[in-house]
Each structure stands twice: as C-alpha cells, then as structure tokens.
Amino acid sequence: MPGTGLSRRTIQEVGQAMSFKVIYPGTFDPITNGHADLVLLACAMFEHVVVAVAENANKRSFLPLEDRITLAGRVLRDLPNVEVCRLDGLLVDFAKRKGAQAILRGLRAVSDFEYEFQLAGMNRRLAPEVETLFLTPAEQYTYISSSLVREIAALGGDVGEFVHEAVLAALKKRLG
C-alpha cells in the first residue's frame, strides 16, 4: 500500500497476526518466571509459540541441554499452544523449518536493546521474511535473569520466587 510504510507485510497479513507462529529462542539456563511470563503473553497474542532451547557455544551451560528442555516443558506444560524443543543450527533457518513468521525476544531493560537490535538486524538480513518482535515482561520480572538466579542459588540464596518449583528442585540437585 503506497505511502503507508508497509512494504514487507500486506494489510491482510497484519490482520491475520493471530495465526502467526513465533519462535522464542534462548538458553533458558534455567528458565525463570520472567521467561514464563513472556511465553504466557505470547500465547495470548499468537496461535503457536515454539520455545526453542539452545546451546550457547560462547558459554558453558550450568544445566545440561536435555534438562533445560525438560524443565521448560514442565514449566509451560499447561499452555496448549506451546511447543518446547531443541534449537539446532542457525535461528532463522530453524524458524523457516518450523514455519514461523517471527522470532520473539524479551527486553528487560534498555541495556538489552542494543544487542537485541543488532541480532534482529542480522536476522532480517539473513531472512527478510522472518520478523523479530520484542516484548517486555511484567514489571516484577524485569530484574530477573538466569545468570542472577544461578549465582544466587550457588551462593545458597533462596530463588524460589524467581523460578518454578521444578526448576528450584533441579537447581538444588545440581548444586548438591
């Protein structure tokens, strides 16, 4: 539609947003209540949400990949339009294989934006047909991160208010 700025998506496609499938990728090491909050929000907005659990070659994982997939599945099991699976390969290729129209990324603070914006730009360059969408968690979750949860737990602190009970049990088991 000339003059609207909607060059990549037609008005009809935008109107059918509810039929979108989105990929929510992350290491989820571990999955937190902040992650779950974003998934819940996405479930209300999109027909299908794929939570894609990845390895990060640049970091040593605290929990094994299979445990993180299992925990995400347990935390999100009551959400009927959520699929939890392993993310292999390039994210945009994975999104295309899954038939997703968008990648969902969470922003907790302004400090997240620069990195996420750079990723979104690269993903758009690699796969212009796959959009990147940003959501923010509820205010009570903006300060929660997996790395803070791991650090607090490792130092003997109580992280029960930041994670699901299944994740809390897994952290306690892992830490001995």
Side-chain angles (χ1 to χ4, degrees):
M1 183 171 242
T4 65
L6 294 176
S7 60
R8 294 184 311 122
R9 294 273 187 233
T10 67
I11 298 296
Q12 183 179 15
E13 287 174 319
V14 172
Q16 295 174 352
M18 290 303 293
S19 65
F20 267 29
K21 179 186 277 191
V22 296
I23 305 289
Y24 180 30
T27 55
F28 305 104
D29 191 21
I31 188 167
T32 68
N33 291 342
H35 295 127
D37 181 65
L38 285 182
V39 174
L40 188 61
L41 182 57
C43 284
M45 298 171 70
F46 306 107
E47 184 176 59
H48 192 77
V49 179
V50 178
V51 176
V53 184
E55 284 290 357
N56 184 339
N58 299 324
K59 291 195 262 185
R60 184 170 173 231
S61 296
F62 181 73
L63 295 170
L65 178 62
E66 291 307 317
D67 289 358
R68 291 183 279 128
I69 293 169
T70 300
L71 287 170
R74 290 205 44 210
V75 170
L76 305 169
R77 70 177 166 216
D78 293 333
L79 302 173
N81 56 333
V82 172
E83 171 190 356
V84 176
C85 61
R86 177 188 189 127
L87 169 57
D88 286 314
L90 196 58
L91 177 57
V92 291
D93 292 340
F94 179 83
K96 288 190 270 187
R97 281 195 311 272
K98 286 289 189 177
Q101 293 81 16
I103 297 165
L104 174 64
R105 300 297 294 171
L107 295 175
R108 292 169 302 192
V110 174
S111 58
D112 291 341
F113 182 76
E114 187 174 349
Y115 174 73
E116 294 297 342
F117 187 76
Q118 184 180 17
L119 285 181
M122 182 56 76
N123 287 335
R124 178 174 282 163
R125 180 75 175 152
L126 295 172
E129 70 278 16
V130 179
E131 291 292 341
T132 298
L133 306 172
F134 299 105
L135 291 176
T136 58
E139 186 178 341
Q140 68 264 30
Y141 302 123
T142 57
Y143 60 89
I144 299 173
S145 70
S146 294
S147 56
L148 279 177
V149 166
R150 288 191 311 267
E151 185 175 347
I152 292 166
L155 295 170
D158 181 9
V159 295
E161 69 180 282
F162 310 127
V163 296
H164 184 278
E165 61 190 26
V167 175
L168 183 60
L171 289 171
K172 287 179 178 179
K173 181 180 176 186
R174 174 79 166 89
L175 292 166

